[in-house]
Amino acid sequence: MGFNIADLFERAVDAVPDRTAVVCGDRSLTFAEFDAESNRLANHLLSEGIGTGDHIGIYAQNSVEWLIAMIAAFKVRGVPININFRYVEDELVYLFDNADLVALVHDRGYVDRIASVTERVPGLRHLVTIEDGSDADPATIGSVAWADAVGAASTDRPQVERSGDDHYVLYTGGTTGMPKGVVWRHEDVFYALGGGVDAYTNERITHGQELADKARASDAPMVALNTPPLMHGAAQWGSLRFLFEGNTVVFVRNFSPEAVFDAIEANRVTTIVITGDAMARPMVETLAEQPDRWDLSSLFVVSSSAVVFSPSLKEQMLDLLPDIIIVDAIGSSESGMNGMVVQTKGETATHGGGGPTVKAGRDAAVLDDDLNPMEPGTGVIGKLARGGNIPVGYYKDPVKTAATFVTAADGNRYAVAGDFARLEADGTITLLGRGSVCINSGGEKIFPEEVEGVLKAHPAVYDTIVVGVPDDRWGQAVCAVVQPRDLEAPPSLASLADHCRSHLAGYKLPRHLVLTDEIVRSPSGKPDYPWASVLAKEELGLD
């Protein structure tokens, strides 16, 4: 039996139909109920002539309906397309057109914005509205109410012959240009992100029924809270891989520390997925201010991926929640999971600078400049790569596909997303940072994430992004764009440099400081380096 996403979900339904599958706010569905409603929406799509290979956008905040829409698309061999809910008109037109959307499932609150762009995307021909309590009129764009779409359709599973070759597309990026659609085969993305490889043993699932059998055998399912928005890959796969094993997934509609802790307490959550510092910092500070407000005794795993989770914040979280473990994973939309590390109190420090040092995932590698897989322990910095099950490429972009998905000197095809790394003597991998934002100062490479991790431990720094700015002598100099904890008492450049001096080489110290009311990040917590670079140059009067 193959590894189609809809098939994997349906096998879990058949294994544990009465177990709770999903919770968001006051709405909760068992696996059987979830399956029935997704079948209704799938059959509605089929009745509108939407099916194999069609691209179906999902433009909404977190909700049970978001996840139902994704599964319904897979059931008819369609391709769900994640839409960033922060996008404005021109960005939406680009994405709707680039993704070749024929249908859109959307929150009612976005009706007016959709109305302003539909004439420029004539291929979009069917819309379904998720009720969110807003008062916009879906009739103005010809959108069908969710209740009407699912109410008139059959609960029977669509009789569609699916395949592991069906496509899953994840749009990623947007802070360094327009987003790109990463195209995966279902079977490949299952092995890369969906639990097809055991993260602890690197063993592969060999049969499509294995995860459902595991679900049936377990009488104590995990309860996983996904804090990022579902438009982000970390939340999608933090959900799907748990559902495949018959576990319960929980969401908050919009992230706030209070909403997260309320959900943990109410649902006895055992594991949460966050995206690094952007979520960890407000959670830590809220819990430090109100340590006795919530019963969080059920929680034992905090898992972070996609962005930096600073050692100082990990230690603070472990002080507040001493019974948890922290799992820090590295990977990308283009590669899948490259490695992970499990940490407890006192084990969070980085080694040799940069990001975490992790156990390498199956098929992970570090390539040199000539695309040769590197040997462990050379100390040379290379490019993080992953072979094996990797994407087909970028949607409608052969140039970027050729640049990212390369055939290496060993004859194998690898995904090289742009992260620099070092392969240690024991086979572990130390992540150093994204090459596209690497600072070149006098010929020395400086990875912003390394400097940011140190700066975030400064008591006067709430958040920071580090960028390179023009320098007559060195080419580039390090500039710290800082959001202070207290705007009335911001840190000085001298205090930041002194703080960094015992942790970083002299050439990595910040030479400039720019203060800001708020650091700009994507909804998933990724830093907006282009924004920080423009701000730094403007504030410093540099070209």
Side-chain angles (χ1 to χ4, degrees), residues 114-161:
I114 295 168
S116 69
V117 304
T118 49
E119 289 187 0
R120 290 192 278 170
V121 281
L124 181 60
R125 57 184 174 83
H126 186 67
L127 298 96
V128 176
T129 303
I130 298 172
E131 188 59 63
D132 62 5
S134 62
D135 56 6
D137 183 5
T140 61
I141 56 173
S143 187
V144 178
W146 180 277
D148 293 337
V150 302
S154 170
T155 60
D156 293 340
R157 289 175 179 170
Q159 297 303 299
V160 176
E161 190 69 28

Side-chain angles (χ1 to χ4, degrees), residues 195-219:
V197 174
D198 188 296
Y200 296 94
T201 67
N202 277 336
E203 295 178 355
R204 285 168 63 95
I205 295 293
T206 60
H207 192 278
Q209 190 65 36
E210 283 186 49
L211 296 183
D213 290 343
K214 182 178 179 180
R216 186 180 289 107
S218 172
D219 58 2

Side-chain angles (χ1 to χ4, degrees), residues 196-274:
V197 174
D198 188 296
Y200 296 94
T201 67
N202 277 336
E203 295 178 355
R204 285 168 63 95
I205 295 293
T206 60
H207 192 278
Q209 190 65 36
E210 283 186 49
L211 296 183
D213 290 343
K214 182 178 179 180
R216 186 180 289 107
S218 172
D219 58 2
M222 297 183 71
V223 181
L225 170 62
N226 284 273
T227 59
L230 273 162
M231 67 177 188
H232 187 259
Q236 291 180 30
W237 288 102
S239 305
L240 291 172
R241 64 188 178 88
F242 279 104
L243 289 173
F244 295 160
E245 295 183 359
N247 295 307
T248 300
V249 294
V250 179
F251 299 97
V252 292
R253 180 164 174 81
N254 304 108
F255 171 79
S256 73
E258 293 81 4
V260 168
F261 295 138
D262 285 347
I264 293 172
E265 182 176 49
N267 298 285
R268 303 300 294 163
V269 167
T270 56
T271 180
I272 63 171
V273 176
I274 65 172

Side-chain angles (χ1 to χ4, degrees), residues 4-355:
N4 178 278
I5 293 170
D7 290 344
L8 287 160
F9 172 73
E10 288 178 354
R11 290 177 197 134
V13 173
D14 294 340
V16 289
D18 298 326
R19 187 176 294 171
T20 299
V22 60
V23 180
C24 186
D26 296 332
R27 193 169 189 214
S28 172
L29 296 178
T30 65
F31 275 84
E33 291 167 340
F34 188 106
D35 190 50
E37 189 155 345
S38 58
N39 290 337
R40 287 180 183 276
L41 183 60
N43 286 315
H44 170 77
L45 294 172
L46 288 175
S47 73
E48 295 292 331
I50 297 165
T52 303
D54 286 332
H55 287 195
I56 303 158
I58 307 177
Y59 181 28
Q61 304 277 343
N62 282 359
S63 63
V64 171
E65 289 83 359
W66 205 113
L67 204 56
I68 289 172
M70 181 168 64
I71 294 294
F74 290 138
K75 281 176 175 282
V76 300
R77 302 190 72 184
V79 183
I81 301 294
N82 55 311
I83 309 295
N84 188 330
F85 51 70
R86 285 188 176 175
Y87 283 173
V88 294
E89 282 78 359
D90 286 348
E91 293 164 314
L92 289 174
V93 169
Y94 170 84
L95 183 50
F96 288 5
D97 177 68
N98 183 263
D100 295 321
L101 295 190
V102 301
L104 182 68
V105 179
H106 63 91
D107 276 351
R108 184 169 181 168
Y110 299 130
V111 163
D112 292 343
R113 185 163 287 170
I114 295 168
S116 69
V117 304
T118 49
E119 289 187 0
R120 290 192 278 170
V121 281
L124 181 60
R125 57 184 174 83
H126 186 67
L127 298 96
V128 176
T129 303
I130 298 172
E131 188 59 63
D132 62 5
S134 62
D135 56 6
D137 183 5
T140 61
I141 56 173
S143 187
V144 178
W146 180 277
D148 293 337
V150 302
S154 170
T155 60
D156 293 340
R157 289 175 179 170
Q159 297 303 299
V160 176
E161 190 69 28
R162 308 182 193 113
S163 167
D165 292 326
D166 289 353
H167 280 178
Y168 162 83
V169 174
L170 180 66
Y171 269 79
T172 183
T175 59
T176 55
M178 286 300 186
K180 307 177 293 294
V182 184
V183 182
W184 291 83
R185 294 172 56 251
H186 280 212
E187 181 170 319
D188 288 329
V189 75
F190 169 68
Y191 279 118
L193 290 166
V197 174
D198 188 296
Y200 296 94
T201 67
N202 277 336
E203 295 178 355
R204 285 168 63 95
I205 295 293
T206 60
H207 192 278
Q209 190 65 36
E210 283 186 49
L211 296 183
D213 290 343
K214 182 178 179 180
R216 186 180 289 107
S218 172
D219 58 2
M222 297 183 71
V223 181
L225 170 62
N226 284 273
T227 59
L230 273 162
M231 67 177 188
H232 187 259
Q236 291 180 30
W237 288 102
S239 305
L240 291 172
R241 64 188 178 88
F242 279 104
L243 289 173
F244 295 160
E245 295 183 359
N247 295 307
T248 300
V249 294
V250 179
F251 299 97
V252 292
R253 180 164 174 81
N254 304 108
F255 171 79
S256 73
E258 293 81 4
V260 168
F261 295 138
D262 285 347
I264 293 172
E265 182 176 49
N267 298 285
R268 303 300 294 163
V269 167
T270 56
T271 180
I272 63 171
V273 176
I274 65 172
T275 50
D277 289 359
M279 292 182 173
R281 187 176 298 280
M283 288 170 62
V284 163
E285 297 199 343
T286 299
L287 194 56
E289 293 170 358
Q290 305 175 75
D292 300 319
R293 175 174 168 181
W294 295 278
D295 176 4
L296 306 178
S297 58
S298 61
L299 186 66
F300 68 89
V301 178
V302 174
S303 177
S304 178
S305 65
V307 291
V308 171
F309 192 178
S310 300
S312 58
L313 267 177
K314 291 177 182 175
E315 290 294 321
Q316 292 175 57
M317 184 170 282
L318 288 163
D319 282 337
L320 293 162
L321 299 167
D323 296 327
I324 68 167
I325 61 171
I326 290 176
V327 177
D328 204 348
I330 61 171
S332 70
S333 305
E334 292 90 345
S335 69
M337 209 274 285
N338 281 309
M340 57 169 281
V341 61
V342 178
Q343 297 173 322
T344 55
K345 183 68 178 170
E347 298 176 342
T348 61
T350 58
H351 304 287

Side-chain angles (χ1 to χ4, degrees), residues 410-492:
D410 63 0
N412 293 317
R413 188 168 177 265
Y414 289 91
V416 185
D419 291 305
F420 281 88
R422 188 172 56 241
L423 184 59
E424 310 294 359
D426 60 0
T428 57
I429 293 175
T430 297
L431 188 68
L432 298 173
R434 184 53 62 102
S436 61
V437 295
C438 182
I439 301 166
N440 188 328
S441 185
E444 297 280 6
K445 287 182 178 178
I446 303 167
F447 296 98
E449 291 177 355
E450 179 182 4
V451 185
E452 291 164 2
V454 174
L455 287 172
K456 287 174 183 176
H458 189 288
V461 173
Y462 182 78
D463 199 1
T464 182
I465 294 178
V466 169
V467 295
V469 295
D471 185 272
D472 290 340
R473 181 179 180 186
W474 304 110
Q476 284 186 305
V478 176
C479 176
V481 179
V482 170
Q483 177 183 343
R485 288 186 177 278
D486 182 354
L487 284 170
E488 301 299 321
S492 66

